Amino acid sequence: MSSSHLSIFPSHKLSHLSSHSSLSSLSSFLPSPLAPTTPRPSTTIHCSLRDLRDRIDSVKNTQKITEAMKLVAAAKVRRAQEAVVSSRPFSETLVEVLYNINTQLQTDDIDVPLTKVRPVRKLALVVVTGDRGLCGGFNNAVLKKAESRIAEIKVLGLDFIVISVGKKGNSYFLRRPYIPVDRFLDLGNLPTTKDAQAIADDVFSLFVSEEVDKVELLYTKFVSLVKSDPVIHTLLPLSPKGEICDINGVCVDAAEDELFRLTTKEGKLTVERETVRTPTPAFSPILQFEQDPVQILDALLPLYLNSQILRALQESLASELAARMSAMSSATDNAIELKKNLSIAYNRQRQAKITGEILEIVAGAEALT
């Protein structure tokens, strides 16, 4: 490989890596998972040995940063998954109770506002994004899905309103005033029931007051460490069986999870996969309710909404962390490759310089003889 045609990043990108206080320069190392990888253009190196040494040191420091961020994200993914699994028994038992109560209400012919399907004239779309970047195309995939759904709603001739959750989504919709937004909500490092309750109260009031006729929830469903799918589920009106359904009415069974455990193998960090299915106790058919079913339903429905929204926030966080771990892993690999190429260029230039000095000494000695 010739030293004059070495495939590396352009020099104007590498110059930003000397500052450790700004992580924005890491974006030059991050490949977009949504676009096919294309070979980088060849760039001729025109710099001194000192500049090459500085660049190599800068890339080494960047590699340390990306590797540390990868390990932090990997540790947080496990905790986020455990939060999803630990909350599932409560959610599924609540669904069983709602199904039993809805069966009684249907036989008694009692009108329940949250389960009543109305002709849709206005729709509310809850969009859940992340709070930070450096996670590949995670946020872009959610926002593109939101734009696609908004375009479909406009084609149907329906009014709509957006509830934005997450700093990235908030900044995106703030720059687009033509999209009506009801509320902007920020999340912390870990979603809590308080965060889910704020969203549930907002959609609850919008639906009950008949300001909107349907509420949809757009979030990123965690599939695996390398795959996350933006999905849209119908939040309101509720399914008669208390299940989670998508916009086409197909109900989703999410009782099985693929968990990931961090281990070390031959001195390197590896990830082991295991499939976990959370058992749900069967609901007793002889169980009777002392209170009026309508009163029980009024008490359980807010809990149901809160649990489903909290689950969506937790899955979105797990997807964001997995995307960040994958992006930082790719950035680390790119940094290693770039450091290797720069080292080769440095060694060749140093060797050429030494060879030139030797030739000058030999030529001078021959001139004296």
Side-chain angles (χ1 to χ4, degrees):
M1 182 172 61
S2 174
S3 61
S4 62
H5 292 85
L6 185 62
S7 297
I8 65 168
F9 288 97
S11 59
H12 69 276
K13 290 187 178 180
L14 290 173
S15 61
H16 295 288
L17 298 176
S18 59
S19 174
H20 299 169
S21 61
S22 175
L23 291 179
S24 61
S25 59
L26 298 180
S27 59
S28 62
F29 289 85
L30 301 178
S32 174
L34 300 179
T37 57
T38 56
R40 301 184 180 92
S42 298
T43 303
T44 304
I45 301 177
H46 297 290
C47 57
S48 63
L49 291 176
R50 180 177 180 181
D51 293 335
L52 277 175
R53 283 197 301 268
D54 292 341
R55 290 185 182 184
I56 292 173
D57 292 338
S58 176
V59 173
K60 285 181 180 179
N61 294 329
T62 302
Q63 178 187 346
K64 293 178 182 179
I65 295 173
T66 56
E67 195 163 1
M69 294 180 67
K70 171 188 172 182
L71 297 178
V72 171
K76 289 183 177 180
V77 166
R78 176 70 183 189
R79 291 200 296 268
Q81 286 184 296
E82 289 176 349
V84 174
V85 175
S86 62
S87 63
R88 176 164 294 127
F90 170 77
S91 300
E92 293 189 349
T93 303
L94 187 59
V95 167
E96 293 289 340
V97 175
L98 285 174
Y99 174 76
N100 195 286
I101 295 177
N102 281 327
T103 303
Q104 297 186 21
L105 291 178
Q106 289 174 1
T107 56
D108 295 340
D109 195 19
I110 299 176
D111 185 21
V112 181
L114 291 182
T115 59
K116 184 178 180 180
V117 179
R118 302 192 297 262
V120 179
R121 295 184 299 271
K122 188 173 183 180
L123 185 144
L125 182 64
V126 182
V127 181
V128 182
T129 60
D131 287 341
R132 298 168 56 195
L134 295 178
C135 53
F138 170 79
N139 292 308
N140 289 335
V142 177
L143 295 174
K144 285 184 178 179
K145 186 80 170 181
E147 287 283 4
S148 175
R149 182 56 179 163
I150 290 173
E152 293 176 0
I153 295 171
K154 289 181 178 179
V155 170
L156 296 174
L158 303 177
D159 293 332
F160 68 95
I161 194 169
V162 174
I163 299 174
S164 177
V165 182
K167 292 180 180 179
K168 289 296 181 179
N170 293 347
S171 61
Y172 179 85
F173 290 114
L174 282 172
R175 295 193 301 267
R176 290 161 177 80
Y178 57 88
I179 299 179
V181 180
D182 180 64
R183 289 188 66 181
F184 295 97
L185 300 173
D186 291 337
L187 296 177
N189 294 329
L190 185 65
T192 61
T193 54
K194 185 178 180 180
D195 299 326
Q197 189 63 49
I199 303 172
D201 291 341
D202 194 19
V203 299
F204 186 90
S205 60
L206 288 175
F207 188 80
V208 172
S209 62
E210 297 188 3
E211 294 184 33
V212 298
D213 303 303
K214 188 177 182 181
V215 179
E216 294 179 353
L217 178 63
L218 169 57
Y219 68 100
T220 306
K221 182 176 178 60
F222 184 86
V223 180
S224 67
L225 283 178
V226 295
K227 183 180 179 182
S228 298
D229 296 330
V231 295
I232 303 177
H233 289 164
T234 300
L235 198 59
L236 292 174
L238 297 176
S239 169
K241 296 183 179 181
E243 296 172 331
I244 306 175
C245 301
D246 59 13
I247 56 177
N248 298 320
V250 180
C251 293
V252 180
D253 179 18
E256 187 172 295
D257 291 289
E258 189 179 23
L259 294 184
F260 305 91
R261 183 162 54 95
L262 297 178
T263 59
T264 55
K265 184 177 181 180
E266 298 179 356
K268 294 184 179 180
L269 179 70
T270 59
V271 179
E272 292 184 356
R273 303 186 182 188
E274 56 180 343
T275 302
V276 176
R277 186 172 182 88
T278 305
T280 304
F283 193 81
S284 176
I286 62 174
L287 185 63
Q288 296 181 353
F289 301 99
E290 295 182 357
Q291 296 87 354
D292 183 54
V294 177
Q295 295 179 357
I296 300 176
L297 197 61
D298 289 340
L300 290 181
L301 285 178
L303 287 176
Y304 172 75
L305 281 178
N306 195 320
S307 65
Q308 300 306 328
I309 294 174
L310 179 60
R311 172 179 170 77
L313 296 179
Q314 291 171 339
E315 287 213 17
S316 179
L317 176 63
S319 301
E320 178 186 357
L321 293 171
R324 180 169 293 112
M325 186 181 74
S326 178
M328 290 299 105
S329 177
S330 299
T332 302
D333 295 339
N334 291 342
I336 293 174
E337 181 68 19
L338 180 57
K339 182 178 65 175
K340 176 183 175 182
N341 294 337
L342 289 174
S343 298
I344 292 174
Y346 173 78
N347 292 332
R348 286 180 174 175
Q349 285 197 20
R350 186 181 61 173
Q351 183 179 5
K353 183 179 180 181
I354 294 173
T355 304
E357 292 176 352
I358 293 175
L359 290 176
E360 290 178 359
I361 294 173
V362 172
E366 289 180 353
L368 294 175
T369 59

